[in-house]
Amino acid sequence: FLSYSMNNNLMYIQVSTFLDMGTIVCSIVFIALGTMIGYPTKALPQLQSEPNNAVKLTENEGSGFAAILTLTGVIFSPLGGILSLKLGRKNVILFVAPIVASGWLIIALAQNKEMLFIGDIMVSMSTAQATSVMPYISGKLPLNSFGGFSKLLS
């Protein structure tokens, strides 16, 4: 990731390439997937014991809330592959990134159950599309740089 050179006993450190930074950004997609998988596990008990009845989830609603990632993944992962053929892999990532950010913002500012479900669906569908494209992007990165680490993540 970082390269250095010695010149007159001084060490110069520089970020090697734009691809290295791109690899880090690409790896964040997999971190986003991990947060989306773990989010219902931590949030569900709190949402079911919420004092605000507008946001409080019942047992059945909680089951649906936890299953959204799996259900949207089945539908939107293949769609991410189809979109990558039509738009290009990088453009799919650029398309879904604002949707992921908007979805998390809606979840954070949720005033009712509908906002929670809409935000969860937005994040889940966008993350599913991004994760279907990311292994191809990280596979194109050079092996002699940070790209090898990215391949381990994918």
Side-chain angles (χ1 to χ4, degrees), residues 14-36:
Q14 62 184 10
V15 176
S16 58
T17 63
F18 178 72
L19 287 176
D20 293 336
M21 298 306 288
T23 304
I24 293 170
V25 171
C26 291
S27 299
I28 291 173
V29 170
F30 297 109
I31 295 170
L33 176 64
T35 58
M36 199 57 228

Side-chain angles (χ1 to χ4, degrees), residues 67-121:
I68 286 175
L69 177 65
T70 306
L71 297 173
T72 56
V74 169
I75 297 166
F76 288 100
S77 288
L79 182 62
I82 293 168
L83 283 175
S84 71
L85 291 174
K86 302 282 184 194
L87 303 175
R89 295 178 184 122
K90 183 177 76 171
N91 290 334
V92 169
I93 299 299
L94 293 174
F95 173 72
V96 299
I99 299 172
V100 171
S102 300
W104 279 116
L105 189 62
I106 290 172
I107 290 171
L109 300 174
Q111 298 294 317
N112 52 39
K113 297 173 191 177
E114 291 79 15
M115 288 179 74
L116 279 173
F117 280 96
I118 289 169
D120 198 20
I121 290 170

